[in-house]
Amino acid sequence: MTSQSITQAFQERISEGELLNCMRCGFCLPACPTYVETQDEVHSPRGRISLMMAVRNGEIEEVEEVEDSLNVCLGCRACEPACPAGVNYGHMLEEARAIFHEHKKVPLKEKALRQTTLNTLFQDQSKMEKATSLLGFYQRSGLQKTTRKLKVMNFFPEHMRQMEQVLPKITKRKDRQDAAHFPSETESKATVAMFRGCLMDTMFYETNQSTIKLLNKAGCDVVVPDTQGCCGALHGHSGEKNGSINLAKQNIQAFEQVEADYIITNAGGCGAFLHDYGRLLKDDDEWSKRAQQFSNNIVDFSSILVDLNFVEDAKLKVDRQVVTYQDSCHLRNVMGVSEAPRKLIQAIENVEYKEMPQADQCCGSAGIYNLTQPDMSMQILDHKMKKVETTQATTIVTTNPGCLLQMKLGIERQNQSEQIRAVHLADLLLEACY
């Protein structure tokens, strides 16, 4: 990787005007988790933008240090709503990461990992299903108990040992429904196409089913296109731009085959990336308009439940509990959805809702960030759990699979698994239906 080639790519692909939109005002600083944790401008949005500009101007030769700074960024995009100038930081971050990835010699170990995950598992849903089926076999066969008894996980880092403890139970393949159409339980108010996701439809299959049942109760006919695939978010966030583009085209084509009023998601990270397909394919003459139309139809399931008066029509009740809500960063910062989940939670009888301080700040999950940057991720998570503690909540609700696993991990790290649970909003709402 040469600084000259990186500089040229920055000049060709990252707009100087976009970089100059940053006024260095500092409004982004208290919104940025990595700056809050480090108090280091190198790990702030305006600091990273300054580094990008310096690379673009050819003022930095040791560009590896710039790449390190970009990799420490969570990509939560909390800086964007805080920015008075409307800087599109997330788009520049992903483009910069893509440039670095395309111009460096990838170590053999990293190359093998990327090939196995991003270019194999996440590109082919059937392979994802086989992989999660193996995880299910591990859970049900007794191997998990044996592994824990022999303390095999002690050979792994602490956060990975704890993550193994909180993985969801995998539904057997034979118990999953392959239906492509789920009719409304009441008079039909809308037809929606469900984006099922790769991990959501395998590791979190039951949450997908909960979402469909809620939509049916709200008066939606639900269609699930069977040729859809991964949203491409992990590829986009990891510099694998071509992989994300290929998946975007596959999904656009899949959803063009069905007639629906909306495309529904129940995972904040996926929803935000789908919402950005228009930007991802803006320079492709064949796909740009199709991508923008697709993006315009993306709606989070919580928003449509509120819009269809699910709160007023449904009878929602649970056992008495104190509930708090952890925002999905991308759902809030990219899709602009924050009130709908809270309104739904507060409509449940016997729920005492307590707003968590700084619920809008990242939990440290950020896709695979907790694997690639474990120290920073766990530092952020431990501080997040102190915020949870102030609410005295017995239930933490969120709307993204990565956030859900991260909050479960936080509960495990605090040895609070007997006192606190973490659930997806869809599962809590279905639990409350009677």
Side-chain angles (χ1 to χ4, degrees):
M1 177 167 58
T2 65
S3 59
Q4 185 176 359
S5 64
I6 295 291
T7 292
Q8 184 177 350
F10 267 61
Q11 291 172 350
E12 292 172 353
R13 294 165 56 177
I14 299 181
S15 164
E16 182 180 32
E18 192 70 60
L19 289 166
L20 288 173
N21 279 343
C22 175
M23 302 182 298
R24 314 294 192 267
C25 65
F27 278 89
C28 60
L29 299 183
C32 176
T34 53
Y35 177 77
V36 169
E37 294 295 334
T38 64
Q39 297 296 300
D40 186 345
E41 281 281 2
V42 170
H43 297 310
S44 73
R46 71 177 182 182
R48 293 183 177 108
I49 289 174
S50 294
L51 291 174
M52 289 185 218
M53 178 63 84
V55 171
R56 194 181 189 282
N57 292 339
E59 298 169 354
I60 295 181
E61 291 188 4
E62 300 297 328
V63 293
E64 290 82 3
E65 295 180 7
V66 177
E67 184 185 18
D68 289 342
S69 173
L70 298 181
N71 288 339
V72 172
C73 178
L74 290 143
C76 68
R77 295 171 69 170
C79 53
E80 292 185 11
C83 177
V87 174
N88 293 314
Y89 171 81
H91 299 167
M92 292 190 290
L93 172 69
E94 289 183 5
E95 196 65 44
R97 283 177 172 173
I99 291 170
F100 276 111
H101 176 67
E102 293 163 13
H103 286 79
K104 74 176 183 179
K105 185 176 180 180
V106 181
L108 187 61
K109 184 177 179 181
E110 181 183 341
K111 186 181 291 185
L113 181 61
R114 283 176 177 264
Q115 181 62 35
T116 302
T117 54
L118 297 179
N119 300 327
T120 302
L121 280 180
F122 288 97
Q123 289 279 0
D124 188 332
Q125 188 65 9
S126 65
K127 289 185 173 66
M128 179 66 74
E129 289 178 356
K130 289 176 182 176
T132 51
S133 292
L134 287 174
L135 176 58
F137 175 77
Y138 165 76
Q139 292 173 336
R140 293 187 295 268
S141 65
L143 279 173
Q144 187 176 51
K145 290 182 179 179
T146 301
T147 297
R148 292 176 178 177
K149 186 175 182 180
L150 295 176
K151 299 183 178 180
V152 174
M153 293 303 297
N154 286 352
F155 292 99
F156 293 85
E158 181 185 11
H159 75 282
M160 291 189 70
R161 295 199 302 271
Q162 293 167 336
M163 184 65 77
E164 190 269 346
Q165 297 274 350
V166 301
L167 288 174
K169 298 298 180 185
I170 306 300
T171 303
K172 292 181 181 179
R173 183 69 186 89
K174 66 181 182 64
D175 294 333
R176 300 180 196 170
Q177 295 186 61
D178 290 325
H181 181 255
F182 299 84
S184 170
E185 292 184 10
T186 62
E187 180 182 353
S188 180
K189 300 177 183 178
T191 299
V192 301
M194 174 83 174
F195 183 80
R196 65 190 178 194
C198 47
L199 287 177
M200 287 302 299
D201 206 47
T202 50
M203 289 182 67
F204 297 92
Y205 171 82
E206 296 300 332
T207 300
N208 266 6
Q209 293 304 113
S210 295
T211 305
I212 291 171
K213 290 173 183 176
L214 291 169
L215 291 168
N216 288 160
K217 290 178 181 296
C220 293
D221 293 315
V222 181
V223 181
V224 185
D226 62 359
T227 55
Q228 61 178 296
C230 172
C231 68
L234 288 180
H235 300 75
H237 301 332
S238 303
E240 298 271 2
K241 187 176 181 179
N242 289 335
S244 64
I245 288 174
N246 291 336
L247 287 166
K249 291 178 178 179
Q250 176 186 336
N251 287 322
I252 292 167
Q253 201 162 29
F255 281 86
E256 285 176 340
Q257 306 306 310
V258 301
E259 293 186 6
D261 301 304
Y262 308 100
I263 299 171
I264 301 298
T265 69
N266 61 358
C270 296
F273 202 75
L274 298 171
H275 183 270
D276 270 355
Y277 275 5
R279 186 269 313 171
L280 182 67
L281 294 170
K282 64 181 175 62
D283 297 324
D284 190 314
D285 292 338
E286 180 186 351
W287 289 89
S288 58
K289 288 184 179 179
R290 297 163 68 181
Q292 192 57 58
Q293 181 62 49
F294 178 92
S295 294
N296 292 343
N297 289 335
I298 296 296
V299 178
D300 185 70
F301 85 102
S302 65
S303 295
I304 197 164
L305 289 180
V306 170
D307 289 347
L308 294 179
N309 298 316
F310 179 74
V311 168
E312 288 78 7
D313 296 340
K315 294 181 179 180
L316 302 174
K317 184 178 181 180
V318 293
D319 292 336
R320 193 167 299 280
Q321 55 195 279
V322 179
V323 179
T324 195
Y325 177 68
Q326 166 62 30
D327 282 284
S328 157
C329 294
H330 289 98
L331 181 62
R332 183 184 184 107
N333 300 327
V334 181
M335 295 183 69
V337 177
S338 60
E339 293 305 317
R342 289 170 168 83
K343 185 172 183 178
L344 291 166
I345 294 169
Q346 292 177 68
I348 303 173
E349 188 177 345
N350 285 338
V351 160
E352 181 184 353
Y353 179 75
K354 293 286 188 71
E355 181 70 18
M356 185 196 310
Q358 299 177 327
D360 59 338
Q361 288 204 347
C362 187
C363 63
S365 171
I368 57 172
Y369 187 91
N370 54 10
L371 299 178
T372 60
Q373 303 285 338
D375 292 341
M376 180 63 74
S377 176
M378 294 303 102
Q379 184 174 324
I380 292 170
L381 175 59
D382 289 343
H383 289 163
K384 174 64 66 176
M385 293 309 296
K386 291 180 181 178
K387 305 296 184 187
V388 172
E389 187 178 348
T390 66
T391 69
Q392 297 184 314
T394 55
T395 301
I396 306 170
V397 178
T398 189
T399 46
N400 187 64
C403 302
L404 180 59
L405 284 179
Q406 186 81 339
M407 299 314 296
K408 286 178 178 286
L409 181 58
I411 293 169
E412 186 72 22
R413 288 172 66 83
Q414 298 290 325
N415 296 313
Q416 293 286 304
S417 56
E418 297 297 322
Q419 293 79 34
I420 310 175
R421 64 170 181 160
V423 298
H424 191 284
L425 175 61
D427 294 318
L428 178 67
L429 289 173
L430 189 65
E431 176 188 323
C433 290
Y434 69 99

